[in-house]
Amino acid sequence: MLSLEKIKRRLESAGQSHILQFWPELCEDERDAFLRELSQLDLDGLRAHCEAAALAAASPDQASVDQHIEPVPKEDIGSVRKSDKRSLEEWENEGLLQISKNGVGVLLLAGGQGTRLGVKYPKGMFDVGLPSSKTLYQIQAERIHKIQELANKKHGSNCTVPWYIMTSEFTLAPTEKFFKENNYFGLEPSNMLMFEQRMIPAVTFDGKVILQGKGKIAMAPDGNGGLYQALVDNNVLQDMEKRGVEYLHVYCVDNILVKMADPVFIGFCVSKGADCGAKVVEKAYPAEPVGVVCRLQGVTQVVEYSEIQPETAQLRGPGGELLYSQGNICNHFFTRAFLQDVAQKFQGQLKQHVALKKVPFVDTCGNPVKPTKPNGIKMEKFVFDVFPFSRSFVAFEVVREDEFSPLKNAEGAAGDTPTTARRSLLALHCRWATGAGATLLDQHGNVLPPTASQPAGDNPPAQCEISPLVSYFGEGLEQLLKGRTLQTPFILDEEGAKELSAH
Ligand code: UTP
């Protein structure tokens, strides 16, 4: 820990002396905690960070990308919908082979504060109201179990898919506690590595670090692109190397449909020799607010919807399809070699994005204030900003209804809520069950029409939930469900599957 004198001097030279303005009022414990916090701060980089934040907020990058934008070449885009059954099987086999050889890991981005959802605990602990009451973390843990089992069955292996979980100061302790209390959902704790990303100070529009309390700086995680620094800080790449993990599937905590270590995606990327890949979904409509995977002056990247003019977003190809339709869903493939390159050579070149936020603070008299309009700047890095460094990038288009339904907002918002997430999962499971030859009945014993598996609208899907421990992507259900009539609410868990296969 640095001494008060040292910190004082360095804050002065960074133009941030106000940080210690309430020092005389702090008690012994508060002083200790504050000194510890300040000692961990990058004091040398503080002036540059504050000046850059203020400058970026004052002159937002309005550069229009429309003159330089090009679609990703067709040959670099795979598609579940447009590929034949044989190719999909080949990719799946390749993916399962790599998994069976312990060559694949998954990495969860779980350091976000989930402000829009507005709960006090990490988003992964959220229960969207499924019949089983499973949380997002539990669903993901069970999918890891199942994919290991599928690979083992096919290859007679005993493989592990290690689970790397990036957290932040806000999410680490509750996430650790939650997994421990739930016995890691049956996973081996030594195969789960939780680590923390860095935090950076929020800054006022005139470049001053914001004090959240008299002895506390307003800190925020450095964005999901903080991953690359966190990989270095926590020796994650060394752990991957030790385990022989060559490929990493990186994903967001909030997508209830995420297929972790999806063998089809992994197999596709591996067989194309890609060092970096992204799953995309077709944009629903030209103005849909999602980032688009495209090229700018020949360099692959994600361009935010706000950076493209509406006329460009509406452009269509000869077949009538949107030219820029590859919506980014934060599902990425990286080789370990690529991540090593990023860590060693490109780390410092990652773009900084400016977010203007309402940051609670103490005023000059020490009174706490909850601002009603944005008063602070948070600088963030994004996980996809490494795409330009890739030498062999591929995109893989998947079916939105099968793979993407993020939980972003609290109930009552127009979309991406607990209800939409729950309905997407139930609708998918209804499709699996009816596709496997089952008939679903409602509470009154009436046969549910096919519309019962529609996720949106006034008709919620039937309450049919299939445990990931029974099926990962709908496989193996025919032998259990064909010709059966199922009363909903219906939960198919491992016990139920055993009973069904016995009768
Ligand atoms: P979002 O950008 O949706 O942010 O994160 P969020 O924190 O979940 O929610 P809001 O914006 O505060 O409402 C997308 C993914 O990136 C992770 C999140 O945990 C989520 O999985 N993330 C975000 C991080 O891991 N670190 C960060 O600093 C920010």
Side-chain angles (χ1 to χ4, degrees), residues 25-98:
E25 297 177 36
L26 302 181
C27 70
E28 211 45 46
D29 285 354
E30 289 167 334
R31 287 181 174 185
D32 261 9
F34 202 21
L35 272 192
R36 221 170 304 120
E37 182 182 30
L38 293 169
S39 300
Q40 279 166 11
L41 213 59
D42 173 15
L43 292 166
D44 296 330
L46 193 58
R47 176 181 282 277
H49 169 72
C50 294
E51 286 177 357
L55 189 69
S59 50
D61 186 6
Q62 295 284 15
S64 161
V65 301
D66 298 71
Q67 270 108 48
H68 311 292
I69 193 168
E70 304 160 273
V72 176
K74 282 215 164 59
E75 58 278 15
D76 294 344
I77 307 179
S79 160
V80 166
R81 233 192 280 256
K82 293 179 197 149
S83 300
D84 53 35
K85 213 168 150 232
R86 224 186 88 211
S87 307
L88 291 171
E89 268 172 22
E90 272 172 21
W91 295 329
E92 183 180 322
N93 287 341
E94 176 65 34
L96 285 175
L97 178 67
Q98 297 301 337

Side-chain angles (χ1 to χ4, degrees), residues 109-117 123 166 197 221-224 252-254 357 380 408:
L109 300 168
Q113 291 173 282
T115 41
R116 285 169 288 173
L117 184 63
K123 225 190 243 187
M166 183 174 84
Q197 67 180 108
D222 57 352
N224 59 21
C252 288
V253 71
D254 48 27
K357 304 261 180 174
E380 288 186 324
K408 296 286 183 195

Side-chain angles (χ1 to χ4, degrees), residues 23 28 42 55 64 87 108-109 111 113 126-127 130 136-137 159 165 173 180 268-269 300 368 371 379 454 457 461 467:
W23 182 261
E28 211 45 46
D42 173 15
L55 189 69
S64 161
S87 307
L108 164 61
L109 300 168
Q113 291 173 282
F126 196 84
D127 160 14
L130 289 168
L136 296 174
Y137 280 154
C159 69
I165 303 182
K180 198 161 179 215
F268 171 77
C269 294
T300 307
M379 300 289 268
Q454 295 309 312
S467 165

